[in-house]
Amino acid sequence: MERILSILLAVLMVGMTFSCLSVSGSAADTKALYATVGDNNTHLLPAGYASLLRRYQSGVQEEVREWSGWAWKNDHANSRLDFFVQQAIPQAELVVSDFTSASGKTISKDNVTATYLGLVNTLTPSYPGIDYDVFDIITHETVKDLEAGQLHEAWVDIYVPENTAAGTYQGTISLKSGNTTHASFTFVLQVMNMTLTDPEDWETYLDLWTYPYATNRYYSGKTNADFFQFTTPERQDTNPFSLYSITLDKQYEAAYESELELYHRAGGNAITVTLVEDPWNSRLPCPCPSMVKWTRETDGTFTWDYTDMDYWIELNMKHGIDRQINLFYHAGVGWGFVYYDKKDGKVKNDVGGSPTSKDPDSVKAWMQLSLEFMNDLAAHLEDKGWFDITVLSMDERGYDVTKALIDLAGQVKNSKGVPLKAGGAVNAGKVGELFDQMYDISLYENLEITKEELKELAETRRANGQQTTLYSCGAGKMSTPNQPGEAAYAVYASYKLGVDGVMRWALNKYDEDPINGTLNPVKKGDETTDMLSHPVPYSGDSYLIYPAYRNSGSMEAQSTPRFEKLCEGMRNLEKMRLIKERYPEYTDAVDSLVSSLGQNTSMPVETGRISDRLLTLCSTITGLTNNRFTDVDTGKWYMPAIQFVVSSGLMDGVSGTEFAPNNTMTRAMFVTVLARLDGADLDNNVASNVFQDVPVGKWYTGAVAWATRNSLVDGIAPGQFGPNNLLTREQTAAMLYRFAEKRNCNIEDRAKNLDKYTDASLIHSYATESISWANAVGIMQGTSDTMLSPRNNCTRAQVAQMIRLFTVNVYMKRDTSKK
């Protein structure tokens, strides 16, 4: 039994099936390789090549040569292809075709890319046990030599332009070498008649900290020690005085822009700006120069050069990243105020005091210089039109520093008297006392706070115009060894928990050589050996993307499967929001889908399930918005209920055009609906072992067996379930009550007065408590003001209504912490 249960399960697709099909290769295929569609939610490790190859050779594992997927307009769909190469294939080229529909419409091959995935190693000194290769780089290579005896992978991205006609499109992706086609894949894409908004308009807030100086350093070809002029290269300590001379080099602008465009495609909202040298206090893997250069003039006054800051902000905004500017200012915590003294001709950091000093004069000096700078900065921001979207930010600082920066922000105002906003990533603790004074907070994902408390906090802050997100760091869900699907899961989880979005350290804070690693001491057991690894706590922790290969002659950034799954999560979450906005009658179905997150303990499995169920919902909406059921009156009381159960996959029409709302339900039909609500894995070939009238192999056998195991049903007589007997209203209440009890739902409420119904005495004793409860929680009202009709048979419309009300009023409010 799954821990958290799916609402949107077991639906019948209308007019098309969207599962991957196993088909044989073309005549031109050779057994130089086995080629198959892979699961892009998980890693397929090269280390498993030999054992997996044997499965293909023995026929245990079949090649999958057809992919099917879906997308909205102005949307992307992704796939992965796996190649088990037995004989070397020189100059193997990935070739894509146009995607065409039966009506002759086309998605140009210019919108379809298929490129090879590149390997990186996961080894870091901190985690010597995590030492394996992962396909983590989505390269720009379409041609390469495929070596024998190795696994090779490719990534496919299909963009659906906004003007694409809805329908089913088919194309091919082939692996060719010269005149030989080694493998050919059929791609089938359903384009829904729904349009996704542009990333800059998405509601979910995504803040990926960005570091252009790390990009600058990488493309310079210098080591960290040389570029940042470390004072002790063997320890990689930072020299804050050398950072002063580092500015953004515009010869690498193409690199900055390619990274920002990836960030924009993910729905990125926030711009990362450093106001002082290294505000993160030498946080690995490289320091962060200030985007504002401080100068002390010969008369002792300070001036500030905003050249790098303005350039960086304008470059972000050029790519649609313009919702928030986060200014990081940790003076007094790291290197203090680093400035160039014109009088002495030296770089210093000997002024300004500290906000946390025990010396009152030091605190006063810090606030005085900070206000001098911040007031100048505020005027500059206002002149640029940026003040209103700017936040003075910090990361994981203690109460004293956080309070000092909040106080500082409150004293910095624009010409209208509006103070600067404060915010940052926090670990809570005593800092939680300051939350109401912070416009933007991002809470660590493993913070000790209940889901209910988090939801309440986020809702309260949202009502006050404040923003709350969750942040992931320390390898949480998005680092190199993590399964790619975990990134999408993190986005869905933020929505389920009621916060406004996700913050992540970081997009591009590259280590020395993020692609190849660096020679680093790695301790294994009692021995320490210099090995090629990443000098960071966890490989990929500080970067979701990669720079270009050094020998490529390009500065175009390279994406990763984990970043692409983050993008997928952001796109799908926005689809859910748009469905609620454009089709409010499906709000319950969306909320049920979100509530079901966590049904499987495997995050990649959940990511796939959420996408599949969202497809079901979208397909239903496009079918039901015009009411495909000819026997359903859109103005009737039952229409919202029918929309809900059909879009949730709990019930379907008796045909493609009829729902039969007034037809009666059988007992077998109802336990099947409950099983779908529970997300049960049903097997109709397993006997119920209780009821003689439930034989193996019937369409309802698995559901009855499931209901029996969970003590949800009683027979109508010894050994008799009565699968074809008509369902009564009191039987419905009894089974819902038992289901609620088994799934940790509230079963305490009771009706205050059933005596108002003249037929209440007809309720059988076994159903008395159940009906009282169902009436109290709003699931079962009377058939009239005076009649409850407990023994009447249920119509399909009535069942749809009771299932909808049960889901919304009871099931979605269950205690999911218990199994």
Side-chain angles (χ1 to χ4, degrees):
M1 194 59 57
E2 302 296 346
R3 180 173 58 87
I4 301 181
L5 311 165
S6 172
I7 301 299
L8 303 175
L9 194 66
V11 70
L12 299 175
M13 293 298 300
V14 179
M16 185 174 182
T17 300
F18 285 88
S19 59
C20 289
L21 304 178
S22 177
V23 297
S24 59
S26 66
D29 290 345
T30 73
K31 281 306 158 189
L33 83 163
Y34 286 86
T36 187
V37 173
D39 178 7
N40 64 20
N41 286 307
T42 62
H43 289 308
L44 185 62
L45 300 181
Y49 171 85
S51 61
L52 282 167
L53 178 62
R54 286 194 294 271
R55 292 176 62 84
Y56 284 103
Q57 290 173 330
S58 64
V60 173
Q61 189 92 12
E62 294 185 353
E63 294 173 89
V64 177
R65 295 289 183 87
E66 181 170 313
W67 173 90
S68 54
W70 65 283
W72 286 18
K73 302 174 186 180
N74 195 33
D75 191 10
H76 290 257
N78 298 126
S79 176
R80 193 189 76 202
L81 304 177
D82 302 334
F83 304 106
F84 293 84
V85 180
Q86 298 189 90
Q87 301 172 22
I89 305 177
Q91 293 296 287
E93 182 179 7
L94 295 164
V95 180
V96 303
S97 74
D98 289 338
F99 280 47
T100 57
S101 68
S103 62
K105 303 295 184 181
T106 300
I107 297 175
S108 169
K109 62 184 178 182
D110 294 338
N111 295 304
V112 183
T113 60
T115 57
Y116 287 104
L117 284 165
L119 288 169
V120 296
N121 190 269
T122 60
L123 179 64
T124 67
S126 300
Y127 294 93
I130 303 177
D131 181 9
Y132 46 80
D133 292 330
V134 175
F135 284 103
D136 196 43
I137 306 175
I138 301 176
T139 74
H140 304 297
E141 297 176 300
T142 59
V143 180
K144 70 180 295 187
D145 294 332
L146 301 187
E147 301 174 42
Q150 292 189 25
L151 173 67
H152 299 272
E153 293 186 352
W155 188 268
V156 179
D157 180 88
I158 307 166
Y159 171 66
V160 181
E162 189 171 348
N163 61 357
T164 304
T168 302
Y169 292 76
Q170 183 169 311
T172 59
I173 297 179
S174 303
L175 182 72
K176 297 184 176 182
S177 181
N179 295 323
T180 302
T181 298
H182 297 278
S184 185
F185 299 87
T186 299
F187 272 61
V188 179
L189 178 73
Q190 184 186 18
V191 177
M192 318 296 294
N193 194 24
M194 308 170 96
T195 303
L196 184 62
T197 50
D198 291 329
E200 59 266 30
D201 297 322
W202 296 351
E203 184 176 335
T204 302
Y205 180 80
L206 178 65
D207 180 4
L208 303 179
W209 290 358
T210 51
Y211 299 88
Y213 296 103
T215 303
N216 198 150
R217 196 278 311 161
Y218 176 86
Y219 287 103
S220 74
K222 295 181 179 180
T223 64
N224 277 349
D226 288 341
F227 186 83
F228 295 111
Q229 300 177 45
F230 292 140
T231 53
T232 54
E234 69 278 2
R235 289 178 49 230
Q236 296 194 348
D237 284 349
T238 306
N239 177 359
F241 306 117
S242 68
L243 297 184
Y244 185 89
S245 63
I246 297 173
T247 58
L248 290 176
D249 193 332
K250 291 187 179 181
Q251 69 173 308
Y252 306 122
E253 186 171 284
Y256 307 148
E257 293 210 61
S258 70
E259 293 174 350
L260 289 175
E261 188 48 42
L262 284 175
Y263 183 26
H264 165 258
R265 185 157 62 80
N269 303 119
I271 305 171
T272 306
V273 173
T274 49
L275 297 182
V276 293
E277 304 296 354
D278 203 23
W280 286 274
N281 199 18
S282 295
R283 190 74 65 88
L284 288 174
C286 63
C288 304
S290 176
M291 292 183 179
V292 178
K293 298 305 177 185
W294 295 51
T295 299
R296 191 175 192 176
E297 305 294 336
T298 54
D299 63 0
T301 61
F302 279 90
T303 57
W304 298 274
D305 182 351
Y306 301 114
T307 302
D308 268 14
M309 184 188 80
D310 291 353
Y311 170 66
W312 182 239
I313 292 174
E314 288 165 358
L315 208 57
N316 274 263
M317 290 186 168
K318 175 183 175 182
H319 289 269
I321 305 162
D322 57 8
R323 189 185 301 187
Q324 187 164 306
I325 301 170
N326 291 324
L327 306 178
F328 286 90
Y329 180 75
H330 295 156
V333 180
W335 298 108
F337 301 97
V338 178
Y339 67 96
Y340 175 74
D341 192 327
K342 278 191 175 181
K343 185 176 181 179
D344 293 346
K346 295 180 180 180
V347 179
K348 301 179 178 179
N349 68 338
D350 57 359
V351 297
S354 168
T356 57
S357 174
K358 294 182 179 180
D359 181 359
D361 290 338
S362 178
V363 176
K364 182 178 179 181
W366 179 85
M367 181 61 78
Q368 181 177 339
L369 184 53
S370 292
L371 281 173
E372 186 179 339
F373 165 55
M374 283 291 173
N375 284 326
D376 187 83
L377 174 63
H380 179 77
L381 291 169
E382 187 171 17
D383 183 60
K384 286 285 189 177
W386 300 336
F387 183 89
D388 292 340
I389 62 170
T390 297
V391 178
L392 184 61
S393 298
M394 63 208 80
D395 77 314
E396 299 180 328
R397 299 298 165 177
Y399 178 89
D400 292 341
V401 172
T402 303
K403 182 68 165 61
L405 290 174
I406 291 173
D407 291 345
L408 172 61
Q411 296 183 57
V412 178
K413 301 178 180 179
N414 66 6
S415 60
K416 298 178 182 179
V418 177
L420 186 64
K421 295 187 284 286
V426 292
N427 279 332
K430 190 178 179 183
V431 177
E433 299 174 11
L434 304 173
F435 283 174
D436 61 343
Q437 302 174 50
M438 301 173 71
Y439 163 75
D440 179 22
I441 62 171
S442 191
L443 298 167
Y444 181 41
E445 64 180 353
N446 292 330
L447 195 68
E448 291 185 3
I449 182 173
T450 67
K451 295 175 182 178
E452 291 73 21
E453 290 171 337
L454 179 58
K455 276 189 175 182
E456 183 178 353
L457 174 65
E459 288 173 3
T460 300
R461 289 177 51 79
R462 194 177 299 117
N464 293 331
Q466 298 169 314
Q467 181 170 264
T468 310
T469 61
L470 290 180
Y471 79 85
S472 173
C473 70
K477 296 186 177 69
M478 298 187 209
S479 292
T480 307
N482 291 108
Q483 300 290 4
E486 295 181 25
Y489 187 97
V491 178
Y492 301 144
S494 72
Y495 191 36
K496 178 177 180 178
L497 293 170
V499 299
D500 302 310
V502 175
M503 190 271 278
R504 168 69 182 174
W505 151 283
L507 178 72
N508 61 341
K509 199 171 192 295
Y510 306 127
D511 56 32
E512 188 95 290
D513 188 346
I515 295 174
N516 300 307
T518 310
L519 201 62
N520 286 287
V522 176
K523 186 173 182 179
K524 289 191 173 183
D526 295 329
E527 296 184 2
T528 300
T529 309
D530 283 340
M531 301 182 71
L532 203 62
S533 64
H534 302 275
V536 291
Y538 207 90
S539 59
D541 178 37
S542 56
Y543 45 92
L544 281 168
I545 61 175
Y546 290 89
Y549 289 114
R550 290 192 187 280
N551 60 356
S552 67
S554 168
M555 288 189 290
E556 187 176 0
Q558 302 179 103
S559 185
T560 65
R562 51 200 167 96
F563 182 77
E564 293 301 320
K565 298 307 289 190
L566 173 69
C567 295
E568 177 186 301
M570 290 291 291
R571 292 193 303 268
N572 284 349
L573 189 52
E574 191 61 19
K575 291 169 191 172
M576 295 181 203
R577 294 187 191 276
L578 289 172
I579 287 171
K580 294 173 70 170
E581 175 186 315
R582 298 171 182 175
Y583 310 97
E585 62 270 31
Y586 293 96
T587 294
D588 290 344
V590 172
D591 289 344
S592 296
L593 174 57
V594 174
S595 176
S596 76
L597 183 70
Q599 171 179 317
N600 297 283
T601 55
S602 168
M603 286 185 277
V605 169
E606 279 295 84
T607 294
R609 185 183 66 81
I610 292 294
S611 181
D612 289 344
R613 300 289 72 80
L614 184 57
L615 166 61
T616 295
L617 179 57
C618 294
S619 298
T620 303
I621 290 172
T622 54
L624 284 185
T625 48
N626 296 320
N627 189 12
R628 64 182 170 92
F629 295 128
T630 58
D631 58 348
V632 171
D633 185 342
T634 55
K636 291 286 188 178
W637 61 269
Y638 52 58
M639 187 59 186
I642 291 174
Q643 288 176 320
F644 174 79
V645 294
V646 174
S647 62
S648 298
L650 302 177
M651 296 174 66
D652 201 0
V654 296
S655 71
T657 59
E658 293 182 314
F659 184 81
N662 298 316
N663 284 16
T664 52
M665 286 275 287
T666 66
R667 286 164 55 82
M669 290 176 183
F670 188 67
V671 294
T672 301
V673 172
L674 284 183
R676 290 172 178 171
L677 178 62
D678 198 36
D681 185 12
L682 304 180
D683 184 355
N684 289 327
N685 293 316
V686 176
S688 67
N689 295 324
V690 175
F691 301 115
Q692 299 170 5
D693 58 350
V694 181
V696 173
K698 294 291 186 179
W699 60 267
Y700 51 77
T701 301
V704 175
W706 163 84
T708 305
R709 289 194 305 271
N710 287 274
S711 303
L712 303 182
V713 295
D714 293 321
I716 57 174
Q720 300 294 309
F721 175 71
N724 297 316
N725 286 24
L726 296 181
L727 179 74
T728 66
R729 285 166 56 81
E730 64 181 2
Q731 288 172 351
T732 305
M735 282 190 263
L736 285 174
Y737 179 83
R738 294 167 189 162
F739 182 79
E741 183 178 25
K742 293 292 183 181
R743 295 298 173 259
N744 301 305
C745 301
N746 172 33
I747 58 169
E748 302 301 320
D749 295 340
R750 294 293 184 273
K752 293 181 179 179
N753 181 20
L754 286 181
D755 292 339
K756 65 179 181 179
Y757 300 112
T758 58
D759 58 352
S761 61
L762 297 178
I763 302 172
H764 283 104
S765 59
Y766 77 86
T768 302
E769 289 293 304
S770 304
I771 287 185
S772 180
W773 164 80
N775 183 264
V777 296
I779 296 172
M780 183 178 289
Q781 303 302 315
T783 54
S784 71
D785 290 342
T786 59
M787 299 292 289
L788 191 58
S789 307
R791 300 186 186 183
N792 282 18
N793 296 325
C794 289
T795 66
R796 286 169 53 82
Q798 288 173 340
V799 170
Q801 176 75 324
M802 285 188 277
I803 286 293
R804 174 178 175 269
L805 293 171
F806 171 76
T807 302
V808 175
N809 296 349
V810 179
Y811 189 64
M812 288 172 56
K813 298 177 182 179
R814 69 196 182 281
D815 184 356
T816 57
S817 65
K818 300 177 182 178
K819 294 186 177 181

